[in-house]
Amino acid sequence: MVRFLVYILLSNNPDAIAKVMLLVKQGRLTLDGATFTTTGDGSRLSAILTINGPSNKAEWFTKKLKNFPYFYQAYMLPLTG
Amino acid sequence: MVRAVDALIKQMTKMGVECIFGIPGGANMPFYDALYDSDIRSYLMRHEQQAAHAAEGYAHVARKTAVCSGTSGPGATNLITGLVDAWMDSVPVLAITGQVVRAFMGTDAFQEADIVGMVLPHTKYAVTVMDSRRLVQEFVNAYTVAMMGRPGPTLLDIPRDVMQEEIDGVEDIKPEPIFVQTPPEPDVHSVMEAAKLIIDAEKPVILSGGGVIFSGATNEVLELAEFINAPIVTTTPGKSSVPEDHPLVLGVVGMHGRVESDMAIVDSDLVICVGTRLSDRAIGPPTEFEKNRKVIHIDIDASEFGKNVKPTVSLSGDAKQILRDLIDYIKHIAAKKPKSPLINRLREIGEAYDEFMLEQATSKITSWRAIWLLNKILPPDTVITTGVGQHQMWAQLFWKCKTPGSFISSSGLGTMGFGLPAAFGAKAAAPDRPVVNLDGDGSFLMTCQTLACISDYNLPVITVIFDNRSLGMVRQWQNMFYKQRYKDVEYTDRTDLVKLSEAFGVEGVRVESYEELEKVVKQAVRENTAVTIDLPVGKEEMVFPMVPPGKWLSEVKLPPGLELYGKVSSVHPA
Ligand SMILES: Cc1ncc(C[n+]2csc(CCOP(=O)(O)OP(=O)(O)O)c2C)c(N)n1
């Protein structure tokens, strides 16, 4: 199990946020925290999620996001300790 | 100024949409009103689930995004099974649903349902269009992204008043940048690493998946196999990715795969997996698959790497392009590998299985012999669709595909009722090719109203119902894993499938011999006419080989009485 931080730049709409949560669920990951903040002209959100789960699923999550046209960027950072 | 929905239809025509499968209702009536004046053919289906499956069949054959439609509420929810099916098998389908007017949304209005919320987990993109000026743009986005990158379903939900609003005319709309999913260029370093693994391998096997079909990479898979003299096995969605009469192609692998394919994987030291998500049905437990062999995984969806199986080398991008680079590099640094005796041994195993099965099946009609016979008499470009169950497994074991993309089945979701509407959609895409639906009686009865469309639109599909008056596959599991406590798996004889077909305007025939089967099918092909053939088969038939769920491919159970011990050490009779 690893704890990791994910940064996501996404469209500012509830479907995009729902899609993030559905992928957390599909990956059988658990959420420690999430913040969503509007950026720029308000059409996008920047999200920071702290997530727990198996390392292969953490990678899967970040890559999977890129399949969907709600997400402009997604990066993962493993957390230690 | 122009009505938004008219602008939508104009754009659909411009982008090459030739037909839609659907049913009108209150909320999507403006859409149908706009279709009235267009050249887009609309097929009036009898259930929206069938519209979605028809779109899947069409998309498979036409290799482009297919469109289905339903009204708000029940029309939209009926589409869901088909959309999830398309999701599981990566089929580009766009659903256009009507929605209640914007002012009523969120009020539990008549026929209001949050269809976008419902399909979000199983679509690439789903959106309710709230601004009529965005309608055409959203269509272009959803239509394009369904086919880009890894194909999959999308949904455009349009409130009725949005369709009817007047907007400025729109010209030359392109998908917005986030919807353009261009596959990455093959990574040179990984190509070199993969090439080295391939050259060093003694017993490489190629596992070809559905991604090979949509990428159009058949020739590259064959070229690689021929150069390194490796056997090719396929997943169920990848069954028609390579011609099954090619000497290196062994057939489908997995739970009900060909025994020689299972053995090829068991015996391998390297598996080159192309365009496959490596599902449990195909490879069994991933830990066993990873043991004792290296894995090269090529896929357009990088999230598949390590999801089930940890690859030694992964290559993300378009299968055709990656294979091209890989082959060119390998040819540059290594000589063609000599023929391996292993392939002949594996083929002998397959031949022993076929011989054993066909010897048993002479007096009364059996599913496998009927499929083997159909395979001999139908033209090589025949499109096959199937229902779900034993008959589907017999089809994957005994039908040999000769044309890429010609075997269409519900592989990932396993949706009974898929076969007939998918066949209808396939025939709409290829009216000049024979389209044959190999169905179970249980599956057929789930979507048999599509017969009405076959008759109305004169899109003649041949259906062969393997009529065992039972839910055969469930019965088989009750036999093997539930102590033969048969519960709710048997049908009575009261439903007359011949009369039922005739009631819809499609000729029905009950066939009692192989000769009759051959005669009826040949005539239907020759005259391009629809027919429903009720073919009685025994409910005691059991599909073998079978790898018990959760077990490794080496534990494949063979048909009782088939002895392969002399040929291979690790197969067991059932
Ligand atoms: C919609 C749906 N419901 C239930 C199942 C579970 N199921 C899998 S195979 C099967 C039996 C299929 O019967 P039939 O179509 O007659 O084919 P057979 O196995 O007899 O060849 C059932 C009920 C399913 N796959 N799909």
Side-chain angles (χ1 to χ4, degrees):
Chain A
M1 296 290 252
V2 292
R3 196 154 176 264
F4 59 102
L5 209 67
V6 185
Y7 167 80
I8 311 169
L9 186 63
L10 64 157
S11 306
N12 183 1
N13 72 58
D15 297 335
I17 300 170
K19 193 81 187 175
V20 175
M21 293 307 154
L22 287 165
L23 290 173
V24 169
K25 182 180 169 192
Q26 194 192 340
R28 295 204 278 132
L29 300 161
T30 55
L31 203 58
D32 275 357
T35 57
F36 290 86
T37 321
T38 51
T39 63
D41 63 0
S43 66
R44 293 180 189 189
L45 290 171
S46 109
I48 296 175
L49 277 67
T50 317
I51 294 180
N52 278 299
S55 63
N56 68 325
K57 288 293 180 185
E59 258 181 58
W60 168 86
F61 177 77
T62 321
K63 287 181 185 160
K64 195 75 188 170
L65 285 167
K66 295 184 181 148
N67 279 0
F68 303 109
Y70 304 94
F71 308 109
Y72 296 89
Q73 288 172 18
Y75 301 106
M76 184 191 73
L77 187 72
L79 296 172
T80 44
Chain B
M1 299 291 275
V2 54
R3 204 165 50 146
V5 74
D6 291 318
L8 168 67
I9 297 291
K10 191 169 159 208
Q11 185 68 30
M12 286 171 69
T13 311
K14 198 164 155 190
M15 291 185 76
V17 176
E18 286 165 338
C19 65
I20 68 137
F21 304 88
I23 299 182
N28 67 348
M29 275 172 67
F31 179 69
Y32 274 85
D33 183 61
L35 278 174
Y36 190 92
D37 295 318
S38 90
D39 291 333
I40 296 175
R41 301 190 303 278
S42 67
Y43 295 110
L44 173 58
M45 304 301 290
R46 301 303 194 265
H47 190 292
E48 292 83 354
Q49 181 191 345
Q50 292 159 39
H53 292 323
E56 288 185 89
Y58 183 92
H60 271 287
V61 173
R63 305 261 175 94
K64 63 179 188 178
T65 306
V67 183
C68 56
S69 181
T71 190
S72 66
T77 57
N78 273 350
L79 288 168
I80 293 177
T81 301
L83 293 179
V84 181
D85 195 89
W87 170 255
M88 292 295 277
D89 288 345
S90 302
V91 188
V93 168
L94 165 64
I96 297 181
T97 52
Q99 183 54 275
V100 300
V101 297
R102 282 167 292 182
F104 282 7
M105 285 177 69
T107 67
D108 294 330
F110 176 65
Q111 294 194 328
E112 182 188 1
D114 176 11
I115 188 62
V116 168
M118 279 183 256
V119 301
L120 263 184
H122 301 289
T123 43
K124 285 186 80 172
Y125 182 66
V127 64
T128 302
V129 184
M130 298 299 277
D131 178 350
S132 54
R133 289 165 305 176
R134 292 271 311 154
L135 178 59
V136 176
Q137 180 66 65
E138 285 289 11
F139 162 74
V140 173
N141 291 345
Y143 183 80
T144 310
V145 83
M147 188 66 191
M148 276 208 158
R150 180 179 183 165
T154 56
L155 183 137
L156 200 59
D157 184 42
I158 320 171
R160 184 162 49 85
D161 58 326
V162 167
M163 296 192 203
Q164 279 172 311
E165 244 170 29
E166 297 280 317
I167 57 168
D168 289 332
V170 279
E171 297 297 330
D172 204 24
I173 304 235
K174 297 266 180 295
E176 290 171 309
I178 197 172
F179 291 86
V180 181
Q181 298 183 333
T182 320
E185 289 293 314
D187 173 58
V188 178
H189 190 72
S190 306
V191 168
M192 287 162 70
E193 247 186 287
K196 186 165 170 3
L197 285 183
I198 292 171
I199 292 162
D200 291 347
E202 282 175 18
K203 290 183 281 181
V205 173
I206 300 177
L207 172 57
S208 182
V212 169
I213 300 174
F214 267 98
S215 165
T218 298
N219 289 341
E220 285 72 15
V221 169
L222 294 176
E223 190 178 336
L224 177 62
E226 284 164 9
F227 194 73
I228 63 172
N229 254 303
I232 303 171
V233 301
T234 73
T235 62
T236 301
K239 178 167 164 67
S240 59
S241 60
V242 280
E244 292 184 293
D245 51 358
H246 187 284
L248 291 173
V249 177
L250 300 178
V252 176
V253 73
M255 180 176 273
H256 285 294
R258 299 275 311 181
V259 62
E260 64 270 41
S261 301
D262 291 349
M263 289 306 110
I265 295 284
V266 171
D267 239 20
S268 65
D269 60 355
L270 170 74
V271 185
I272 307 159
C273 312
V274 192
T276 160
R277 67 192 153 89
L278 298 171
S279 89
D280 53 315
R281 278 281 157 130
I283 61 152
T287 43
E288 294 290 338
F289 188 79
E290 286 166 356
K291 229 187 260 171
N292 303 329
R293 67 184 52 72
K294 305 228 162 56
V295 175
I296 297 171
H297 196 170
I298 300 170
D299 206 283
I300 199 153
D301 179 356
S303 74
E304 289 300 338
F305 305 141
K307 185 185 84 179
N308 297 335
V309 170
K310 201 168 167 34
T312 321
V313 176
S314 59
L315 287 150
S316 145
D318 175 48
K320 189 178 175 77
Q321 200 193 340
I322 292 174
L323 286 173
R324 186 71 268 142
D325 287 9
L326 197 53
I327 295 163
D328 290 349
Y329 186 69
I330 292 173
K331 285 190 170 171
H332 202 67
I333 58 168
K336 188 173 184 318
K337 284 206 180 170
K339 270 213 172 87
S340 135
L342 178 68
I343 291 166
N344 283 344
R345 234 181 67 220
L346 291 167
R347 291 204 81 90
E348 277 169 26
I349 290 173
E351 282 158 18
Y353 168 76
D354 285 343
E355 219 172 274
F356 175 83
M357 294 299 289
L358 294 170
E359 264 170 18
Q360 302 186 13
T362 41
S363 52
K364 72 183 223 202
I365 295 182
T366 62
S367 303
W368 60 91
R369 196 183 181 92
I371 293 170
W372 173 84
L373 173 71
L374 290 170
N375 190 62
K376 285 208 306 185
I377 61 175
L378 284 162
D381 66 341
T382 300
V383 178
I384 294 290
T385 66
T386 75
V388 168
Q390 290 179 310
H391 63 281
Q392 177 191 29
M393 298 302 121
W394 290 126
Q396 81 170 13
L397 287 165
F398 281 89
W399 179 266
K400 305 279 177 214
C401 297
K402 285 148 203 137
T403 307
S406 62
F407 188 87
I408 306 173
S409 194
S410 172
S411 309
L413 197 63
T415 311
M416 286 170 71
F418 174 83
L420 190 64
F424 177 73
K427 190 75 184 174
D432 298 331
R433 284 170 72 178
V435 177
V436 179
N437 167 37
L438 304 178
D439 224 339
D441 50 329
S443 296
F444 173 76
L445 284 169
M446 287 201 178
T447 54
C448 56
Q449 312 97 300
T450 298
L451 287 171
C453 312
I454 288 171
S455 161
D456 285 355
Y457 295 102
N458 191 24
L459 285 175
V461 165
I462 299 170
T463 291
V464 182
I465 306 170
F466 294 84
D467 185 359
N468 54 10
R469 292 289 145 163
S470 77
L471 300 171
M473 186 52 94
V474 181
R475 194 178 184 281
Q476 174 164 347
W477 280 53
Q478 289 180 350
N479 177 303
M480 293 176 73
F481 309 119
Y482 293 88
K483 301 185 182 138
Q484 295 160 29
R485 286 155 53 87
Y486 299 122
K487 173 71 180 151
D488 284 353
V489 286
E490 303 204 348
Y491 290 165
T492 65
D493 280 336
R494 281 191 284 275
T495 309
D496 186 329
L497 299 176
V498 171
K499 278 192 189 152
L500 184 137
S501 183
E502 304 244 314
F504 283 113
V506 173
E507 185 194 355
V509 189
R510 189 167 168 93
V511 150
E512 310 269 2
S513 70
Y514 293 120
E515 293 72 37
E516 245 184 298
L517 175 66
E518 181 166 348
K519 196 175 121 218
V520 175
V521 169
K522 277 186 169 166
Q523 183 179 344
V525 172
R526 200 172 45 244
E527 294 170 4
N528 198 14
T529 49
V531 65
T532 304
I533 299 169
D534 183 19
L535 186 73
V537 295
K539 54 165 79 43
E540 67 289 344
E541 283 184 359
M542 303 261 274
V543 190
F544 291 109
M546 177 177 190
V547 181
K551 297 283 198 255
W552 174 229
L553 300 176
S554 64
E555 296 187 48
V556 59
K557 302 250 176 271
L558 296 175
L562 173 59
E563 186 58 80
L564 287 181
Y565 284 104
K567 298 206 160 59
V568 60
S569 56
S570 43
V571 288
H572 313 287

